[in-house]
Amino acid sequence: MAIYLDKLKMPIIIGLIVLIIASLTGYYYYTHNTKTSEIIIFAAGSLKIPLDEIASKYSEKYGVNIYIEASGSVEAIRKVTDLGREADIIAVADYRLIPTFLVPNYTSWYIGFATNQVVLVYTDKSKYHEILENNPSEWYKILMRNDVKWGFSDPNKDPCGYRSVGIIGLASIYYNDTSILENLLLNKTNIAVEKVNDTLNLIVPADLKVSENSNLIIRSKSVDLISLVEAGTIDYAFEYQSVAVQHHLKYIKLPDQINLGNPKYAYFYGKVIVKILVGTDKEKSIAMSPIIYGITVLDNAPHRSEALKFLKFLLGNTGREIFEEKGQPYLDEFIVYGKIPEELRSIAGSES
């Protein structure tokens, strides 16, 4: 009887072994053959919402998994250059960061494709918002009030942060009022200033600090401030207009001469230079200029072919419509640097 049962069990055991081997073989095949059907994107926080929507449409159409990891733009780049992490696409809020940090070791080309401007966001809970709405030019005087809490993102990690610092410098020139710089930056942080001819250099230490009991709040990336504004924890924050639109926040536009959104004032914007990561070998000087978003596919992208197809989709009509709807209109003509891949030339053009 025992021998009979053992004979009966043997086919069952063999069947289980075959099933396990088949399962493992299938898993191996899946994990190794679906790797090309995914894309990894490190992106600026202000690009997350439009990229998510474009990725959703692309995935629905082509069955590709797209992973988007948002952070400050400088931080996104340093994930690759400092931490050695793999990514296919880098998309940043300042196209100049790509040649500054990634060319030529990580990529040989990039495209500047969309624009924006910096605004001051608030809610009906924000102190003195009625004054601001009736007199938008009072914005900096309201921020100077001790009972008003306001913020911007970390200039060492996020372009909106160093642009906010630069805008405060530009405002001191535009309004001819040095107290703006002193009261909003110099007295609240360890940021320093030096004037060279008619250029204002704002020096941001790598170990940026905010003074104790200050009403200034700094967070890693600009979108991190949104929840604080919405909750009434802070009254105002410097944000991209697109972020304000996407999150349905109230905002006032700053003068074109300082909002970094009008190419007509590029020369005036350049009167302020923000030096970030000062005190490290990563120190960079960034002249203020009109906002232009940049994107590239890395040379060693693990899913390079699929990433190029996605980028072509993003730069096409679908991407353009989504970005414009989200408050980040495309440039009339893309800025192209380097010899871009053949797959993109029909839609992006050639080097400017």
Side-chain angles (χ1 to χ4, degrees):
M1 186 68 173
I3 295 172
Y4 174 76
L5 289 174
D6 286 342
K7 287 182 178 179
L8 189 63
K9 289 178 182 177
M10 189 58 66
I12 297 174
I13 293 170
I14 292 172
L16 287 171
I17 291 171
V18 171
L19 181 62
I20 291 169
I21 291 172
S23 297
L24 290 173
T25 302
Y27 176 76
Y28 178 86
Y29 177 85
Y30 175 80
T31 55
H32 285 73
N33 288 277
T34 59
K35 192 175 181 183
T36 55
S37 294
E38 64 181 23
I39 302 169
I40 303 167
I41 303 174
F42 293 165
S46 60
L47 289 171
K48 182 70 163 61
I49 289 177
L51 284 180
D52 275 344
E53 190 167 329
I54 294 169
S56 176
K57 290 184 179 296
Y58 188 85
S59 296
E60 185 179 336
K61 187 172 184 178
Y62 298 106
V64 177
N65 294 320
I66 301 176
Y67 173 71
I68 301 170
E69 186 173 313
S71 65
S73 293
V74 178
E75 195 173 0
I77 288 172
R78 295 183 72 182
K79 289 173 187 175
V80 174
T81 60
D82 295 12
L83 302 181
R85 292 181 58 191
E86 282 191 338
D88 298 298
I89 293 173
I90 299 289
V92 293
D94 187 342
Y95 79 105
R96 296 172 303 167
L97 294 176
I98 297 176
T100 300
F101 290 103
L102 293 174
V103 175
N105 295 328
Y106 300 91
T107 190
S108 58
W109 60 273
Y110 57 88
I111 298 170
F113 69 102
T115 65
N116 216 327
Q117 65 178 274
V118 177
V119 299
L120 193 66
V121 301
Y122 66 98
T123 70
D124 288 336
K125 293 180 282 190
S126 301
K127 292 185 179 71
Y128 311 112
H129 70 89
E130 300 95 339
I131 297 175
L132 182 68
E133 289 167 349
N134 291 325
N135 299 286
S137 61
E138 296 283 301
W139 67 268
Y140 63 91
K141 295 178 182 177
I142 291 173
L143 297 187
M144 286 183 191
R145 298 192 183 207
N146 292 330
D147 59 339
V148 171
K149 292 185 177 181
W150 61 283
F152 55 77
S153 55
D154 188 339
N156 287 318
K157 296 179 179 179
D158 187 29
C160 194
Y162 61 66
R163 284 169 171 150
S164 300
V165 169
I167 281 171
I168 292 170
L170 285 169
S172 70
I173 299 172
Y174 176 67
Y175 294 107
N176 193 26
D177 186 348
T178 57
S179 71
I180 296 173
L181 193 57
E182 292 168 3
N183 291 323
L184 296 184
L185 276 185
L186 306 183
N187 295 342
K188 296 182 184 299
T189 69
N190 57 345
I191 294 174
V193 62
E194 62 180 13
K195 191 162 186 179
V196 180
N197 299 322
D198 63 344
T199 301
L200 209 59
N201 292 335
L202 299 174
I203 302 162
V204 183
D207 61 338
L208 176 62
K209 292 182 174 67
V210 177
S211 306
E212 286 187 26
N213 302 318
S214 173
N215 58 343
L216 170 62
I217 306 295
I218 297 178
R219 290 292 183 267
S220 291
K221 56 184 185 294
S222 62
V223 293
D224 291 342
L225 296 164
I226 294 296
S227 59
L228 299 182
V229 174
E230 290 174 331
T233 305
I234 64 175
D235 300 293
Y236 300 95
F238 286 101
E239 293 285 353
Y240 294 120
Q241 182 178 354
S242 62
V243 173
V245 170
Q246 292 159 18
H247 290 269
H248 310 291
L249 286 169
K250 289 189 171 185
Y251 64 91
I252 62 147
K253 289 187 175 183
L254 302 171
D256 280 355
Q257 290 87 342
I258 66 175
N259 67 20
L260 305 181
N262 190 335
K264 176 182 175 181
Y265 295 104
Y267 176 78
F268 185 76
Y269 298 159
K271 289 181 178 290
V272 172
I273 295 173
V274 179
K275 297 184 177 183
I276 62 171
L277 299 167
V278 174
T280 73
D281 60 354
K282 303 292 183 183
E283 178 179 325
K284 300 294 178 185
S285 296
I286 303 172
M288 293 299 95
S289 69
I291 295 170
I292 299 175
Y293 287 85
I295 197 163
T296 188
V297 174
L298 297 176
D299 289 341
N300 64 346
H303 316 104
R304 181 175 176 79
S305 178
E306 197 65 63
L308 288 170
K309 290 178 186 175
F310 174 75
L311 186 50
K312 185 175 182 179
F313 184 79
L314 182 150
L315 295 174
N317 291 333
T318 299
R320 181 182 292 272
E321 289 170 8
I322 290 171
F323 264 82
E324 290 185 355
E325 179 186 307
K326 303 300 181 186
Q328 291 155 290
Y330 276 13
L331 296 171
D332 291 335
E333 291 186 15
F334 296 140
I335 296 172
V336 177
Y337 171 87
K339 188 177 180 181
I340 68 170
E342 184 69 35
E343 296 93 321
L344 300 177
R345 290 179 193 168
S346 63
I347 199 162
S350 56
E351 184 174 5
S352 301

